[in-house]
Amino acid sequence: MGRIVDLTAKPYNLSEEQINWVENTLSNMTAEEKVGQLFTNLFFFGKDEFSGNDLTNKQILEKYHIGGARFHGGEAKQIQELLNQLQTDSKIPLLIAANCDSGGNGACSNGTYIASGAQCEAAKDTSVAFNAGLVSAREASALGVNVNFDPCVDILYNWRNTIVNTRAYGTNADDVIKYTSAFIEGFRSERDMITCIKHFPGDGTEERDQHLVLGVNELSPEEWDNSFGRVYSTHIENGVEMIMAGHIALPEYQKKLNPSLEDKDILPATLAEELIQGLLKDQLGFNGMVITDASHMLGMTSAMRREDYVPAAIAAGCDMFLFFNDLDEDYNFMLNGYKKGVITEERMNDAVRRVLGLKAKLNLHKKKEEGTLLKDEKELEIIGCEEHLKMRADAADKGITLVKNTLNQLPIRPETHKKIRLYYLEGETNGIMASSSALEGFKAELESRGFEVSINDGSTRVKGRTDKYREEVDAAIVIANVVGYGAENNYRVKWKTAMSSDCPWYVWEVPTFAVSLNYTTHLHDLTMVKGYINAYHNNPETIKQVVDKLMGESEFKGSYNDLVWANKWQARL
């Protein structure tokens, strides 16, 4: 069974009144209501892509008694209205989560980006991470969010890993602890909200994506204890309330904890009792709540039948199950697993106590009784406010990084490099996390400074005469706005056609700079480029400041880690 929750201890620290509410609520629950508390449902604006049901949101709450909610898409006012309605219609108040790892933009489409984990690391200033956490809490709470499924406390060891390339706060435990602690401090500083760190037992050691295949952390027990183990121990000691289990195996440690395991027995942490109950709750002493990562990911679905792994996740020690596939089917899979004893009575009550305990810690029950649980439209004024935009500008100034300028070709100014040719490289244009185009933003910003800007048509292989190119172009800027999610195991530069004219054949013809607006390791595919900048995001402030720095009107202040070279000696030339 493992460790039983102690609601008087960290991270709950509940009062007698709060514990009484938890126990009274639990004792009056039906089996169906207990099962419902284990689920976090994903609400969409429009068609529900996952559960394929025709129920209204109110009917979902009444029939399945869900304990938590997350939402996808939408602007602030629309989201606030949804969350207010969900809390109104739910018998027991909901834990409502968002993925805010870099500011309020993780909660709503018009939220304020501050800085990603990679940008916080580059800035080498904990105030940037603090502000990212602060703005995340302020803007998400205005919508009605009370849980943040962030920050990522993964360690980026493998340069090929694009799952946490921008979300990780460093390449070693010390940096990850430093900047994620600052983020959480900012997140907690003004708002009463729950923090959920992820992805236990740790991403970043390999290149594959748990959305598409079982993730594997191959570290030995000793290596893990001295890296990811230190990260998790620090945050547990600091009172983190929730940990998200990833669909990631830790085979060497699993076999140490259970020597009878063979390779065929290795499961992701979400289904591995030796990792959740043994390592996390018993050995590391985590007394909070564990939630699975999204249950449609192949790291979980490839383990066994869904009918089996839905209840197996709770039996293994997870306390909440993230997202339905089919509402009715998954709910009954969990209910039947409870009735058959896959989930014991003790394990069920422990899981539900942990869920209700977080609701009590937030005093959601009191706020519902008092009528203060719902959010007012006036609270939305904080989203995108001037103070937050100044924080975004400060983060951009400190984070934007000049990785190389080996031919000493800066600055680029209209007096000396009037004619600029732009080359635009992008990733997914219709994916879950597809990025908006930044090409027009760069063009407009450069033209406002007095440059003449042309855009290359990379759909052709025709390059033309080099003397003519030098007459038409004074400098070239390659904009890599490569963003992707869940469609490939890693994301790299893709050209528009074979031997595209976008390929940097022109680096010896004119000064050429590549600017990445997301991933930090594009030098793997752009080793020939003699000037390279990591800018971390495509918002207008970042674009403005990249141009400032290219022109020499502002110095480059960001730092880089050695993974930017992608283990390629040519990249440094």
Side-chain angles (χ1 to χ4, degrees):
M1 167 59 209
R3 180 185 293 258
I4 299 295
V5 67
D6 180 358
L7 295 178
T8 66
K10 186 167 53 182
Y12 291 98
N13 303 310
L14 298 190
S15 67
E16 184 178 352
E17 183 278 328
Q18 290 169 320
I19 292 174
N20 287 339
W21 177 80
V22 170
E23 295 302 332
N24 290 337
T25 303
L26 180 61
S27 65
N28 287 310
M29 277 182 168
T30 64
E32 290 76 12
E33 287 173 327
K34 288 181 182 179
V35 165
Q37 285 298 298
L38 305 178
F39 284 100
T40 295
N41 186 48
L42 182 59
F43 290 89
F44 284 81
F45 296 98
K47 179 174 171 53
D48 187 331
E49 296 180 21
F50 289 108
S51 59
N53 72 90
D54 296 320
L55 298 178
T56 66
N57 292 339
K58 186 174 184 179
Q59 288 170 327
I60 291 173
L61 295 168
E62 290 173 347
K63 186 172 183 180
Y64 299 111
H65 323 289
I66 61 171
R70 228 204 76 192
F71 53 91
H72 185 77
E75 292 196 352
K77 186 174 186 297
Q78 181 185 29
I79 293 168
Q80 189 191 67
E81 290 171 353
L82 168 69
L83 303 189
N84 277 345
Q85 196 59 55
L86 291 177
Q87 293 289 30
T88 298
D89 293 337
S90 183
K91 177 182 174 182
I92 297 173
L94 297 165
L95 295 173
I96 299 178
N99 285 9
C100 291
D101 61 351
S102 53
N105 63 312
C108 59
S109 59
N110 52 333
T112 311
Y113 169 89
I114 300 297
S116 65
Q119 188 175 336
C120 291
E121 178 200 11
K124 291 288 185 282
D125 186 338
T126 53
S127 72
V128 173
F130 181 96
N131 288 342
L134 174 63
V135 173
S136 293
R138 284 177 174 178
E139 297 195 356
S141 67
L143 306 174
V145 171
N146 50 42
V147 176
N148 189 22
F149 284 165
D150 274 299
C152 292
V153 297
D154 300 305
I155 306 173
L156 187 65
Y157 283 120
N158 190 333
W159 72 265
R160 292 182 181 274
N161 186 302
T162 51
I163 301 93
V164 297
N165 175 277
T166 59
R167 294 191 288 170
Y169 288 76
T171 59
N172 59 76
D174 289 336
D175 282 347
V176 169
I177 289 168
K178 179 179 181 180
Y179 297 114
T180 57
S181 295
F183 180 101
I184 294 170
E185 184 183 352
F187 187 79
R188 289 174 169 169
S189 62
E190 294 183 3
R191 300 292 189 273
D192 193 13
M193 299 173 76
I194 300 298
T195 296
C196 176
I197 58 175
K198 60 189 183 186
H199 305 83
F200 179 84
D203 198 356
T205 65
E206 69 155 359
E207 66 184 83
R208 298 174 302 167
D209 181 351
Q210 310 88 56
H211 292 84
L212 305 174
V213 68
L214 172 66
V216 180
N217 183 321
E218 297 285 10
L219 295 186
S220 70
E222 295 74 25
E223 289 170 329
W224 192 89
D225 286 338
N226 290 323
S227 55
F228 292 94
R230 283 206 296 120
V231 172
Y232 279 97
S233 294
T234 298
H235 286 300
I236 290 168
E237 178 63 28
N238 290 340
V240 72
E241 298 94 349
M242 190 186 300
I243 292 176
M244 181 177 288
H247 306 308
I248 301 170
L250 188 64
E252 296 305 314
Y253 222 126
Q254 289 172 265
K255 290 176 181 178
K256 176 187 176 182
L257 294 170
N258 183 357
S260 68
L261 292 179
E262 300 177 24
D263 286 350
K264 65 181 177 60
D265 305 315
I266 295 297
L267 293 170
T270 39
L271 298 170
E273 184 174 6
E274 66 275 3
L275 292 183
I276 303 301
Q277 296 285 29
L279 179 56
L280 182 57
K281 289 185 175 179
D282 287 342
Q283 188 169 312
L284 296 182
F286 181 56
N287 185 51
M289 196 262 272
V290 178
I291 188 168
T292 73
D293 205 343
S295 65
H296 56 271
M297 294 164 64
L298 272 77
M300 187 180 219
T301 66
S302 60
M304 60 187 73
R305 283 185 172 182
R306 192 170 181 93
E307 180 177 5
D308 296 324
Y309 70 69
V310 170
I314 305 303
C318 295
D319 306 299
M320 284 196 94
F321 193 86
L322 188 58
F323 305 152
F324 293 91
N325 176 48
D326 179 273
L327 269 163
D328 199 63
E329 184 178 61
D330 281 355
Y331 178 82
N332 282 293
F333 284 162
M334 191 75 80
L335 182 60
N336 290 335
Y338 177 35
K339 289 178 177 178
K340 292 176 182 176
V342 175
I343 305 170
T344 65
E345 188 67 24
E346 186 179 43
R347 176 79 274 269
M348 173 63 78
N349 288 338
D350 182 61
V352 176
R353 276 193 182 92
R354 291 173 191 260
V355 175
L356 294 177
L358 292 184
K359 297 181 180 187
K361 180 173 183 173
L362 294 172
N363 289 309
L364 300 184
H365 59 300
K366 280 187 175 180
K367 292 176 182 177
K368 191 171 178 72
E369 290 173 7
E370 298 165 353
T372 59
L373 184 59
L374 306 189
K375 297 294 181 174
D376 189 273
E377 188 176 347
K378 191 168 180 60
E379 294 185 57
L380 300 178
E381 293 174 1
I382 200 168
I383 295 174
C385 67
E386 191 62 33
E387 182 186 3
H388 292 179
L389 294 179
K390 287 180 180 178
M391 291 177 180
R392 181 178 73 173
D394 176 69
D397 182 41
K398 292 174 178 174
I400 295 171
T401 306
L402 179 63
V403 176
K404 63 185 288 191
N405 178 26
T406 55
L407 297 183
N408 195 28
Q409 293 173 317
L410 288 177
I412 294 173
R413 300 188 60 84
E415 300 87 0
T416 54
H417 302 83
K418 183 76 170 178
K419 295 173 286 190
I420 301 290
R421 179 71 51 85
L422 293 183
Y423 298 81
Y424 188 66
L425 315 176
E426 60 186 349
E428 295 174 8
T429 55
N430 58 354
I432 296 174
M433 304 292 284
S435 178
S436 58
S437 175
L439 179 59
E440 290 305 317
F442 264 99
K443 184 175 185 292
E445 187 66 38
L446 288 163
E447 288 176 340
S448 74
R449 310 294 185 96
F451 291 100
E452 294 176 3
V453 180
S454 60
I455 298 171
N456 189 68
D457 177 8
S459 63
T460 175
R461 287 179 284 175
V462 176
K463 299 172 177 62
R465 292 175 60 95
T466 57
D467 56 356
K468 186 170 185 290
Y469 184 85
R470 290 193 299 271
E471 289 175 9
E472 295 176 350
V473 179
D474 295 321
I477 301 175
V478 182
I479 303 161
N481 191 27
V482 180
V483 178
Y485 186 81
E488 300 176 31
N489 273 306
N490 43 50
Y491 287 84
R492 300 265 294 276
V493 168
K494 287 186 177 179
W495 309 106
K496 297 182 180 69
T497 189
M499 292 299 295
S500 166
S501 63
D502 276 348
C503 295
W505 61 270
Y506 37 82
V507 298
W508 291 107
E509 308 302 330
V510 299
T512 301
F513 279 83
V515 180
S516 173
L517 302 180
N518 191 39
Y519 297 120
T520 62
T521 50
H522 284 316
L523 277 174
H524 174 71
D525 295 312
L526 300 171
T527 55
M528 73 295 290
V529 172
K530 305 305 177 185
Y532 180 83
I533 295 163
N534 276 327
Y536 309 101
H537 203 255
N538 63 1
N539 67 79
E541 181 64 35
T542 293
I543 292 171
K544 172 187 172 295
Q545 292 207 31
V546 166
V547 175
D548 283 343
K549 294 174 189 297
L550 283 169
M551 292 178 62
E553 295 184 359
S554 171
E555 65 177 302
F556 287 94
K557 299 174 182 175
S559 303
Y560 57 84
N561 61 56
D562 273 348
L563 294 191
V564 300
W565 306 115
N567 292 336
K568 302 294 180 293
W569 57 266
Q570 317 96 291
R572 298 175 183 268
L573 301 178

